[in-house]
Amino acid sequence: MATADNTIMDHGDATSFSRRLDRRRTGFLDYLKNKEYIPLYHAVCVILITVASLLLFYKSFSQGGILMHADMCWPTSMDRIGELYTHTWSPYGSSMNIWNIQRLFWVYPLLTIAKIFNFSVSRYLLTQFIFTWWLAGISMYCLAVFIMRSVKVKKATPVMVCSGALVAAVIYMYNPWCILHCWQYFLAPTYALQPLVFIFVVKSLNSPSAGNITKLALIMTLGSTCPIGVILLWIQLLAYALFYVTINRFKREKLLSSLKAIGSALILYVPLNALWILPYLQAQIAGKPFLPSYSTTISQTMIDSLSASTSIVNNLRLLTGGVWGVSFLVENNLWKILSFTLPVISIIALLTLGKKAFRNRYVLFWACLWPISVIVATGTSSFLRGIYLYLFLEAPGSSLYGWVIRYPDRFLFFVPVFYSLMVGLLIVILLSRTHSYKEEATSFESMASATGGNRLEKNSGSNSELITENRDLAAELGAIKRKLSLFQSRAFALVALTVVLSSLLSMVTVAGIYARRVYNPTRIPTDYETVNKFVSKDGDAKRVMWMPFDNGILWFSWSDGRPVGTFNVYSSPPSLNNFMQTYNVNTYFSWLEKFFSMNSNSEIVLAESPDLAGDEAAALFVPFAADFLIIDRSKMGPDMNKRLTGDGTLEKVFETEHLDVYAIKSARPFISAASNTVKVNSYFDNLSIVRKLSEDKKKQTVFINDNTEIDRKYGFIKLDSYSEIQNHNPEFEEWNDIWGPVGWIPWGDSSTAIITEDKEQKTEGERSIRIENSSAEQFDVAWLSGNEITGREGAMYTVESHIKYKNADWSQVVVEGFDTNREEWVELVKCPSIKTGTSDWQTHESSFILPSGIDRMRLMLAAGWVKNPAAGPAVTWFDDVSISKISDSFFDKLEARKKPPSVTYKKLSAEKYEVKVKGAEEPFVLSLSETYDPHWTATVEKSGEVSPVPLYSTINGFPISRTGDFSVTIEYDSQKWFTLGLFISLATLALCLLYLLLYWSGRKPGAAAVTFQSMVDWASKLKDSIEKPPRNARLG
Amino acid sequence: MSLRDYKLDIKSNKNTLSILVITVLSLMLWILVSFTCAFFTALLLTCVIWNIEARYPLTAGLVFICAASIILAFNQHRTGDLIASWGFFFFAAAVIIALIRLLLRPVEG
């Protein structure tokens, strides 16, 4: 019985469920019908855009690996990726990380989802890449529909508008500028949100309500993922505001509403972005602006080279930019013509739209922005050269923003919107014409069969033959007209199809190259993970150092011919490998690489004696404070193993197919104290000094390799104060009219050389020496030898030379020593080594320890032969060429200093360390092995804040004057500003979202105000009730 | 006024003065700045003074850009670049004219 009841109930439930379902289906169909099926068309378009966004990453669906290319590179663990966006300092490579925190709002939502669903790094990156591309398409689709509706193309149905918008979306996603410029870590989010930002800009200016302004500020915050992105979004807002005010003829009300919209958006934007604005502002106020290292090298030459390909013709086709290792210039004639498709179709669309286009404010705005963008993006390659150079190099504040606009082609940011919109509009026009001709054809058909026949019948009276003839004629005419209209309809459909196909074809080449070469995943060998596990096996965070050093872009034997970024540094334990520094030429990094790879093409070459070479790696690696050295043999670059394998301070402890791991013996701690700080002139001085010092003193000595000086009380010693020049007449000031420079004689067969004094070209004093070599024969060098100098084995000598050359090959300065065993002169140092071509004055410095068996030295000046016979003789100038001996008292002084205090430290975060100092007998320098950055500060207990000085031109040194036992807090000061800013940003975001929630919840008219008013009413009632005496008291 | 309605009367003082001003200004710009700048200024002033509709420079721009694409296909890069630049300036002139016209008329959209 119960079963039967259940069955009946089940049956009843099923019936009611099926009824409900039917009702809902009918309701949904009615809804679609009422909406003219527009939501359905939108849904189909969204699906198609989703499919289109997958195409660029098709390789990811058939092969494994991680999406990375050149500097578009991330760590290989999700935790590390998460840390990137919440820290102002990255210990993985040791660099300022202010650029990444700007992306926090963009990255964290997806990162949270990825963490919840336990995504791998490869899956997370692929999802992020696809999502950004998809968002670009959706965003453009929305803008296209928004503008197309306002254009009101005759007889355009919703399907046509959606089709046009779909084409616009695909063009926006796949146009060459987007493909060439939209890096995920950089401009891609800004680009993806740009059309939506425009919609909100329009809405905010038309109606500057709190809701619209909030939405605008929020979406601009989301898109502000890089400095240039912020600039471009604000340019868009201000440009449209200016346009809006202009076309409204500067009416007072419009002007005020624009100011209200811009001002309100700015007021909301600043606290929303406080997380990066506060650290930036603090840095500016403190006079320590965050500038990348290349900002110091910004010059006219740099901007000229970056503007070399930004001609108008390339800008029109959006063919500028590109990345390392990818050539997108195709030498195919058909493609060259096709590359003009987008600008040509855009102009045709404007012509076809005619007055409708130019009278529509949105179309006209984008049409105006197009030529402006194209011309500004030419940089210095057009008539705007002077203005651009002024803005870039000389305008007030250009030192701060100049580097942001160094790539002029980034101003083409606005052009893809215009092209997409115009092609989309043309499609709508063509489809509407197709439709109208089709309708015309139908009307002709009916005319032939009905109306036309009756009319003819009346006119023809009772003549049946004539009636029949007329009917036939009318039918024939109707048929012809119908055919013609059908033909016209089909012709327009064909043109529309041609427009779509040619637009797509014009983009396929560049997109195809990028899909195959850039957006295909890279398989990283397991060696890196194995080695990371090995160096972290004790569970302790041991520091490492990677060689060859990374300079941002690397070529690996396993990377299939593509450049790959510094994922190894980002993914391994902390290390000192700041690519901002390794990019530069004269850094400690580059010197170490050249020294250990024994590069014979170096500027300065030290001929090593076997008794001196070896056992100095640990002393030279002191700034890195690393426990392990990892040599990557798969990396294209110098072979580091040459010298390192024989070094007694290193021990090979692990090896994989691509990587060698060395343990560094007696490495200096990450934070340590030094009693000696030596100011030297070249990195070779560091080498010579550590070769002479005892093991203990090596650990207690640090070097200053630039112009920085500190007080002597910290143990500061200048090497120059202990050097004595050994050679006679180094500046060529003593000149004999017959013999030439005193103390220098021509050496060998120098018949082709003319040696003269030059009073015009000189570094200091009255003259330099000029050697003109007219020989074009290879190796026919004109030599000038200095007097012999007595040397002492084991003593330290420094060499300094100044050289200038014109059309010369093989000019150089050599220090030779006399080998008493072999009875011949041997090369000790080339300072500089072979110089070729033409150059202004150059200064070179080096030093060396005189090897055993050498009892005297001499300087040899080589004036090279003619490089280009057509350009006249080779001329080489020398001035101030000297050898100096470093006094023994220098080393005595270093050895005499007291031991530095003992130092222990605790890491509180990547940006904060608590240091305990014990037994400081005299002032000292506390070294921190993170990249030198003025934002690192040391706060000494009861003493105050100390700013760092650069040690080895690379790491931080804090001169501490306090003695005894005390604690020091070392901190990267931007982090606390970021934390404060993040709090403000999150609070503002929460308020904005709350407001929008109330706004959307149906209580639209000033929901927040209503809520506030009700709260005020409630509070006043409460106040009244408190103020009123109790009822019984009143009665009493 | 469209180009069809326009009749250049060389004897008219107003037109003669305009031609003279444009010529002198363009020559000065050519000498002092660049040929491109002189070309663009002359083009723009001509269109504005004689109230030429935006579609004419737009059509000219289209022709120039199409020609540039063909010339570039034959590897004549310098000529192609130059012609494309001229096409671009025609377009820029068209946009400015459209903007001026819009300012003189009520807007929609």
Side-chain angles (χ1 to χ4, degrees):
Chain A
M1 189 64 188
T3 318
D5 283 350
N6 284 344
T7 315
I8 291 162
M9 278 172 72
D10 284 351
H11 183 71
D13 280 355
T15 316
S16 71
F17 175 73
S18 130
R19 273 184 200 151
R20 278 205 305 273
L21 199 69
D22 276 351
R23 268 205 303 275
R24 284 193 181 171
R25 194 186 297 145
T26 320
F28 181 64
L29 286 174
D30 286 345
Y31 166 78
L32 284 180
K33 217 172 182 178
N34 290 340
K35 293 271 176 187
E36 294 177 37
Y37 296 100
I38 293 172
L40 194 67
Y41 304 144
H42 287 329
V44 171
C45 289
V46 169
I47 292 167
L48 290 173
I49 289 170
T50 310
V51 173
S53 66
L54 299 174
L55 292 177
L56 190 65
F57 307 98
Y58 78 96
K59 285 263 183 186
S60 292
F61 302 105
S62 58
Q63 65 189 59
I66 296 180
L67 282 170
M68 60 165 70
H69 189 97
D71 55 353
M72 189 166 58
C73 175
W74 287 268
T76 50
S77 82
M78 287 300 287
D79 289 338
R80 204 62 75 77
I81 289 178
E83 283 177 32
L84 271 179
Y85 305 101
T86 50
H87 288 276
T88 49
W89 187 263
S90 170
Y92 311 107
S94 188
S95 62
M96 157 179 66
N97 190 41
I98 197 80
W99 326 112
N100 277 322
I101 62 167
Q102 217 174 331
R103 285 158 216 138
L104 188 136
F105 285 138
W106 170 256
V107 170
Y108 253 75
L110 181 62
L111 202 62
T112 313
I113 294 168
K115 289 283 265 183
I116 292 167
F117 291 101
N118 206 16
F119 276 15
S120 64
V121 170
S122 55
R123 180 173 290 184
Y124 160 73
L125 290 175
L126 181 64
T127 314
Q128 194 195 41
F129 278 47
I130 292 173
F131 172 73
T132 315
W133 240 259
W134 176 83
L135 184 64
I138 294 294
S139 173
M140 187 63 222
Y141 179 81
C142 294
L143 179 66
V145 171
F146 175 75
I147 294 180
M148 281 168 189
R149 279 181 183 164
S150 74
V151 172
K152 290 172 191 157
V153 177
K154 254 187 205 171
K155 294 195 176 176
T157 61
V159 185
M160 292 168 193
V161 171
C162 290
S163 309
L166 178 66
V167 173
V170 175
I171 289 171
Y172 192 68
M173 291 159 79
Y174 282 96
N175 68 80
W177 193 88
C178 172
I179 299 283
L180 296 171
H181 287 81
C182 288
W183 275 159
Q184 276 301 319
Y185 70 93
F186 184 59
L187 208 52
T190 317
Y191 179 82
L193 288 165
Q194 183 198 12
L196 284 180
V197 170
F198 181 72
I199 294 175
F200 286 110
V201 166
V202 168
K203 288 192 170 182
S204 301
L205 286 172
N206 286 344
S207 159
S209 66
N212 284 340
I213 300 290
T214 309
K215 283 183 241 169
L216 175 65
L218 280 175
I219 202 154
M220 282 183 72
T221 300
L222 201 59
S224 298
T225 50
C226 55
I228 186 75
V230 175
I231 291 178
L232 293 170
L233 287 181
W234 278 96
I235 285 179
Q236 180 172 302
L237 169 60
L238 297 175
Y240 186 72
L242 180 69
F243 177 81
Y244 177 77
V245 171
T246 309
I247 60 165
N248 284 297
R249 288 143 209 171
F250 298 93
K251 279 181 195 159
R252 189 183 147 80
E253 60 190 275
K254 298 290 178 188
L255 199 64
L256 286 176
S257 73
S258 300
L259 286 175
K260 185 182 168 189
I262 296 167
S264 313
L266 186 66
I267 287 168
L268 212 50
Y269 181 85
V270 171
L272 272 171
N273 290 274
L275 78 163
W276 59 267
I277 290 178
L278 268 190
Y280 266 106
L281 275 180
Q282 182 267 334
Q284 293 294 334
I285 293 164
K288 301 182 279 191
F290 295 116
L291 290 173
S293 62
Y294 50 74
S295 69
T296 53
T297 57
I298 279 175
S299 62
Q300 189 169 324
T301 319
M302 182 191 190
I303 186 74
D304 281 342
S305 67
L306 293 174
S307 301
S309 66
T310 57
S311 59
I312 286 177
V313 71
N314 283 345
N315 287 356
L316 278 173
R317 302 183 291 169
L318 303 175
L319 288 177
T320 58
V323 295
W324 300 273
V326 182
S327 171
F328 62 90
L329 294 171
V330 185
E331 290 301 316
N332 176 308
N333 288 346
L334 179 65
W335 184 75
K336 279 181 189 171
I337 295 173
L338 274 174
S339 65
F340 283 89
T341 306
L342 293 179
V344 165
I345 291 180
S346 300
I347 299 176
I348 292 172
L350 276 177
L351 279 168
T352 316
L353 274 167
K355 287 174 185 171
K356 259 190 188 309
F358 286 129
R359 285 188 193 174
N360 182 286
R361 66 178 65 170
Y362 310 130
V363 175
L364 184 58
F365 169 71
W366 288 107
C368 286
L369 215 50
W370 177 34
I372 295 170
S373 304
V374 168
I375 204 74
V376 172
T378 55
T380 59
S381 65
S382 75
F383 65 89
L384 284 181
R385 180 184 170 77
I387 299 168
Y388 203 88
L389 277 178
Y390 172 76
L391 286 173
F392 184 69
L393 295 171
E394 291 167 35
S398 60
S399 61
L400 295 176
Y401 71 79
W403 63 273
V404 180
I405 59 165
R406 67 194 185 284
Y407 284 101
D409 55 351
R410 285 180 186 158
F411 286 100
L412 291 172
F413 177 76
F414 306 104
V415 177
V417 175
F418 176 69
Y419 285 166
S420 311
L421 204 58
M422 285 297 104
V423 179
L425 269 170
L426 188 64
I427 297 297
V428 177
I429 296 164
L430 292 171
L431 290 179
S432 68
R433 298 262 170 99
T434 308
H435 185 66
S436 65
Y437 280 116
K438 224 176 198 173
E439 275 182 355
E440 213 173 272
T442 319
S443 72
F444 284 132
E445 198 175 0
S446 58
M447 182 193 86
S449 59
T451 327
N454 291 339
R455 190 162 41 87
L456 286 167
E457 211 168 291
K458 276 178 198 166
N459 293 341
S460 311
S462 58
N463 192 332
S464 63
E465 264 184 36
L466 199 60
I467 290 168
T468 316
E469 202 175 318
N470 281 344
R471 271 186 186 166
D472 290 347
L473 271 173
E476 215 168 295
L477 187 67
I480 289 168
K481 281 189 172 177
R482 186 178 151 269
K483 271 183 187 170
L484 191 67
S485 297
L486 271 178
F487 173 76
Q488 282 173 317
S489 162
R490 279 171 195 161
F492 273 105
L494 194 69
V495 173
L497 190 69
T498 311
V499 167
V500 174
L501 287 178
S502 59
S503 302
L504 295 180
L505 265 176
S506 74
M507 302 185 299
V508 158
T509 313
V510 175
I513 291 169
Y514 267 61
R516 288 191 302 275
R517 301 268 302 137
V518 177
Y519 296 111
N520 66 339
T522 307
R523 281 181 186 275
I524 298 171
T526 53
D527 298 44
Y528 297 93
E529 203 183 328
T530 313
V531 163
N532 282 344
K533 276 183 187 160
F534 174 79
V535 297
S536 312
K537 64 183 174 185
D538 300 336
D540 201 11
K542 294 265 175 73
R543 284 178 68 86
V544 297
M545 61 178 286
W546 286 87
M547 281 184 96
F549 298 110
D550 293 338
N551 58 3
I553 311 348
L554 308 161
W555 304 82
F556 292 90
S557 59
W558 45 262
S559 64
D560 193 24
R562 68 157 75 190
V564 174
T566 52
F567 76 94
N568 48 1
V569 174
Y570 297 156
S571 305
S572 71
S575 65
L576 182 69
N577 212 322
N578 181 359
F579 77 90
M580 293 269 196
Q581 282 206 348
T582 52
Y583 263 126
N584 296 335
V585 181
N586 295 317
T587 61
Y588 194 57
F589 295 96
S590 65
W591 179 81
L592 280 177
E593 259 184 13
K594 282 175 189 165
F595 178 70
F596 283 108
S597 63
M598 302 172 84
N599 190 338
S600 57
N601 295 323
S602 302
E603 285 264 298
I604 294 166
V605 176
L606 207 58
E608 288 292 353
S609 169
D611 61 323
L612 290 175
D615 298 350
E616 64 243 330
L620 293 175
F621 293 157
V622 153
F624 298 86
D627 299 291
F628 294 104
L629 161 69
I630 307 170
I631 303 233
D632 194 333
R633 280 178 277 104
S634 68
K635 198 178 286 181
M636 308 292 179
D639 180 8
M640 292 293 146
N641 273 323
K642 265 186 188 174
R643 192 189 282 261
L644 290 172
T645 41
D647 196 299
T649 58
L650 303 176
E651 187 193 349
K652 192 186 263 189
V653 287
F654 193 67
E655 189 178 345
T656 66
E657 189 189 343
H658 297 300
L659 308 172
D660 290 329
V661 184
Y662 291 88
I664 301 173
K665 291 176 188 171
S666 61
R668 191 190 279 174
F670 175 61
I671 298 175
S672 62
S675 50
N676 292 315
T677 303
V678 185
K679 183 174 168 16
V680 291
N681 302 315
S682 80
Y683 298 118
F684 285 98
D685 294 342
N686 300 28
L687 176 68
S688 299
I689 292 168
V690 297
R691 279 178 172 177
K692 294 267 298 172
L693 288 179
S694 62
E695 282 305 314
D696 277 352
K697 285 295 159 191
K698 275 182 198 173
K699 287 183 185 171
Q700 296 162 14
T701 306
V702 289
F703 295 92
I704 290 182
N705 287 84
D706 55 22
N707 295 325
T708 311
E709 291 195 8
I710 55 173
D711 198 280
R712 287 185 182 277
K713 69 180 180 184
Y714 301 107
F716 179 68
I717 305 167
K718 282 169 85 171
L719 184 68
D720 279 347
S721 309
Y722 295 86
S723 71
E724 293 164 32
I725 292 179
Q726 302 292 300
N727 58 319
H728 183 65
N729 193 18
E731 293 169 350
F732 310 104
E733 296 303 319
E734 289 179 48
W735 196 272
N736 185 302
D737 290 339
I738 301 164
W739 301 108
V742 176
W744 299 86
I745 49 163
W747 185 86
D749 178 22
S750 299
S751 56
T752 53
I754 302 166
I755 301 169
T756 52
E757 61 180 326
D758 194 328
K759 292 189 174 179
E760 298 293 320
Q761 305 292 333
K762 60 194 177 184
T763 56
E764 54 187 54
E766 284 187 15
R767 58 175 71 80
S768 69
I769 190 164
R770 180 183 189 274
I771 307 177
E772 186 179 310
N773 187 354
S774 54
S775 173
E777 201 179 315
Q778 206 176 20
F779 303 119
D780 191 2
V781 178
W783 290 94
L784 188 70
S785 168
N787 282 353
E788 289 182 13
I789 306 157
T790 311
R792 203 189 79 212
E793 282 180 25
M796 179 181 166
Y797 292 89
T798 61
V799 192
E800 185 181 355
S801 68
H802 296 81
I803 185 170
K804 175 181 164 147
Y805 45 94
K806 192 178 88 182
N807 192 29
D809 210 346
W810 216 266
S811 291
Q812 55 187 310
V813 175
V814 184
V815 178
E816 290 184 342
F818 190 77
D819 189 330
T820 49
N821 298 324
R822 287 152 64 188
E823 295 268 308
E824 61 180 9
W825 288 95
V826 291
E827 281 182 1
L828 296 176
V829 186
K830 287 179 179 174
C831 178
S833 185
I834 300 157
K835 291 284 174 187
T836 298
T838 299
S839 166
D840 204 354
W841 285 106
Q842 297 176 0
T843 303
H844 297 275
E845 287 172 290
S846 180
S847 63
F848 61 97
I849 307 288
L850 197 65
S852 59
I854 307 285
D855 64 351
R856 52 191 189 271
M857 298 169 285
R858 66 178 181 189
L859 274 162
M860 298 291 286
L861 312 183
W865 64 86
V866 177
K867 182 175 169 59
N868 175 15
V875 184
T876 310
W877 290 265
F878 299 93
D879 201 357
D880 195 9
V881 184
S882 63
I883 293 183
S884 302
K885 182 174 175 287
I886 302 301
S887 162
D888 291 343
S889 62
F890 168 76
F891 295 99
D892 294 342
K893 192 157 186 178
L894 290 183
E895 296 286 349
R897 284 278 293 181
K898 285 179 185 167
K899 271 189 172 182
S902 73
V903 168
T904 53
Y905 70 94
K906 190 180 170 192
K907 182 179 178 180
L908 303 176
S909 70
E911 296 87 4
K912 198 170 183 178
Y913 296 88
E914 195 68 51
V915 184
K916 297 278 179 206
V917 178
K918 271 188 185 169
E921 293 179 41
E922 54 188 1
F924 61 96
V925 169
L926 191 66
S927 75
L928 168 75
S929 288
E930 292 281 13
T931 303
Y932 169 75
D933 189 304
H935 287 278
W936 280 107
T937 54
T939 310
V940 183
E941 186 188 1
K942 295 178 188 169
S943 190
E945 211 172 86
V946 180
S947 294
V949 292
L951 302 179
Y952 304 87
S953 302
T954 303
I955 60 168
N956 300 280
F958 300 98
I960 309 284
S961 54
R962 192 173 166 184
T963 51
D965 298 349
F966 54 94
S967 66
V968 180
T969 306
I970 299 178
E971 197 174 2
Y972 192 68
D973 64 8
S974 299
Q975 185 65 18
K976 57 187 176 199
W977 291 98
F978 163 70
T979 312
L980 177 65
L982 183 63
F983 174 74
I984 297 170
S985 295
L986 288 176
T988 318
L989 180 69
L991 285 174
C992 287
L993 293 178
L994 187 71
Y995 177 81
L996 287 180
L997 208 67
L998 289 170
Y999 185 79
W1000 283 325
S1001 67
R1003 289 183 283 162
K1004 269 190 177 175
V1010 171
T1011 312
F1012 182 71
Q1013 190 57 48
S1014 61
M1015 282 169 73
V1016 169
D1017 292 346
W1018 179 80
S1020 64
K1021 275 181 193 167
L1022 189 73
K1023 189 177 162 229
D1024 288 349
S1025 66
I1026 292 166
E1027 284 174 354
K1028 274 180 189 169
R1031 187 182 163 79
N1032 50 3
R1034 269 187 287 156
L1035 288 169
Chain B
M1 187 195 285
S2 71
L3 194 65
R4 243 178 310 169
D5 307 324
Y6 166 70
K7 284 172 190 159
L8 179 68
D9 183 4
I10 203 77
K11 286 175 188 168
S12 152
N13 286 339
K14 191 183 157 194
N15 284 335
T16 314
L17 190 69
S18 303
I19 291 167
L20 199 67
V21 167
I22 292 171
T23 312
V24 171
L25 193 69
S26 304
L27 279 172
M28 275 173 64
L29 283 171
W30 189 358
I31 294 161
L32 297 173
V33 187
S34 67
F35 174 76
T36 320
C37 188
F39 173 78
F40 180 65
T41 313
L43 177 70
L44 188 65
L45 285 177
T46 310
C47 293
V48 171
I49 289 173
W50 282 293
N51 199 15
I52 290 169
E53 278 182 26
R55 65 191 151 119
Y56 296 107
L58 205 56
T59 313
L62 181 65
V63 172
F64 272 86
I65 288 175
C66 288
S69 73
I70 293 162
I71 290 166
L72 276 175
F74 285 99
N75 290 325
Q76 301 299 313
H77 292 279
R78 283 179 71 89
T79 319
D81 281 9
L82 188 72
I83 290 177
S85 305
W86 287 359
F88 168 77
F89 288 124
F90 272 108
F91 175 77
V95 169
I96 294 170
I97 294 161
L99 191 63
I100 292 168
R101 281 175 171 251
L102 188 79
L103 285 174
L104 302 174
R105 285 177 188 183
V107 287
E108 61 181 62

